[in-house]
Amino acid sequence: MSYNLDQLNAYCKRYGFIYQGSEIYGGLANTWDYGPLGASLKNNIKKLWWEEFVSKNPLNVGLDSSILLNPKTWEATGHVSGFKDPLMDCKQCKSRHRADNLISQATKNQVDADGWDYQQMYDYIIENKIKCPVCGGFDYTPIREFNLMFKTHQGVTTESINDIYLRPETAQGIFLNFKNVQRTSRKKVPFGIGQIGKSFRNEITPGNYIFRTREFEQMEMEFFCKPGTELEWFAYWKKFALAFLKKAGLKEESVKLYDHPKEKLSFYSNATTDILYNYPWGFDELWGIASRTDYDLRRHQEYSGEKLEYLDPDTNESYLPYVIEPALGVERLLLAILIDNLEEETLSDGETRTLLRISRALAPIKITVLPLVKKYQGDKAEEVYNQLLEDFEVTYDDTGNIGRRYRRADAIGTPYCVTIDEQTLQDDTVTIRERDTMEQVRVSLDNLNEFLRIELKK
Ligand code: ATP
């Protein structure tokens, strides 16, 4: 059985992965809070990305730039004038829609209105009598432009001179720091700068659980290379991204590539590919990978007056590097990982168990320590728990019968259960049960941490 979004939501709430945001006040639409397991899973995803793209990657370095940037940044990039969606209201039920989405949904993605002007979209909707997906009505307002950036004020006055934006992407903080990072890290082009952080977009149609929200986290990299080499690097990072998703535990068949056709590319891009994941509503964007030419650096150079060119020490040439940008949402990957790895397994005795077959690196909890009978082995189990706490994310569980405790560990993806029983008190050995095979081995306490360290790397 594969989970639909409602079942997944119930699962995440029950086990403490994800809760509705501001729940005790009736919630705040499309906000989600990550509970103990969700927070841990999110951190593990970010850690894996950071290792693969930054700390263990000889090509790249890392950055943590501000959410609030000088507002000129967004004029330079075109976000102030151009980061807009076509908004249309249904007059009958007052629901809001993105005109381009109305078209793609009604035509089951056969017609892609991306790049059309608003009149074209409006005419298509009217001529083809596309009905409101919420109420079935056919009575729309004209299309209005809606800027997706969250605006706020800096300082004590609310005059428009102090208008400032929450960043809609982490990428621009990287471009603003290109020179700083290059100089201080002494990196030579080609090299990349990776960053993880919150971004904000006032989306018209958030939804599909945590897929599209107004506050979300991105893991982005800008990879700077010599003009003319960008398409090779584009191919390189696409392959790298697919290998990363495999490491993160996504099945090959759950993922596919969508190459944007040449005529649909953003004017600054000479290649763009989306990695799509097969979400419960169909394939949709998980990861965007774009070859952005020197657009961002050139615009920031123009608007700031600062020279952002790179001087190649080997050839003495000066140039603005071209850029490849793989941009991935933390929550979209988290959602894909849960969907891909959560299953109801029927066992040989006919019973079923909920099993999260998540990779060991991402499992929110690595080990659970269980005394078989609390009254007799509780003290020893606490000792073992403390021994393991030194090295691992580990929990202690002594409530309910042992079978139920194993099931709970399986359901949240804990790779190993360590059970303390009568024999432990006599010979200092414990039973280790593996999640997927449910096979058990006996290991001595002296050797326990080392044994698990090796197993968890597998
Ligand atoms: P979409 O077409 O789904 O709106 P996009 O093409 O605007 O996405 P990008 O600007 O390429 O997205 O952002 C890079 C990545 O950031 C996306 O692939 C996605 O993983 C994530 N992302 C973007 N917008 C959101 C959002 N509103 N909620 C959650 N994640 C998001």
Side-chain angles (χ1 to χ4, degrees), residues 201 203 211-213 216 218 285-288 327-329 332:
R201 297 181 189 180
E203 300 274 4
F211 178 82
R212 187 181 302 286
T213 50
F216 55 98
Q218 290 182 304
E285 179 173 333
L286 166 63
W287 200 335
L328 170 63
R332 284 195 191 178

Side-chain angles (χ1 to χ4, degrees), residues 93 95-97 131-137:
C93 72
S95 60
R96 303 223 124 139
H97 306 281
K131 295 199 176 122
C132 168
V134 178
C135 73

Side-chain angles (χ1 to χ4, degrees), residues 173-184:
I174 298 180
F175 289 116
L176 301 197
N177 282 291
F178 167 65
K179 276 263 123 164
N180 279 337
V181 173
Q182 193 273 319
R183 225 181 282 129
T184 51

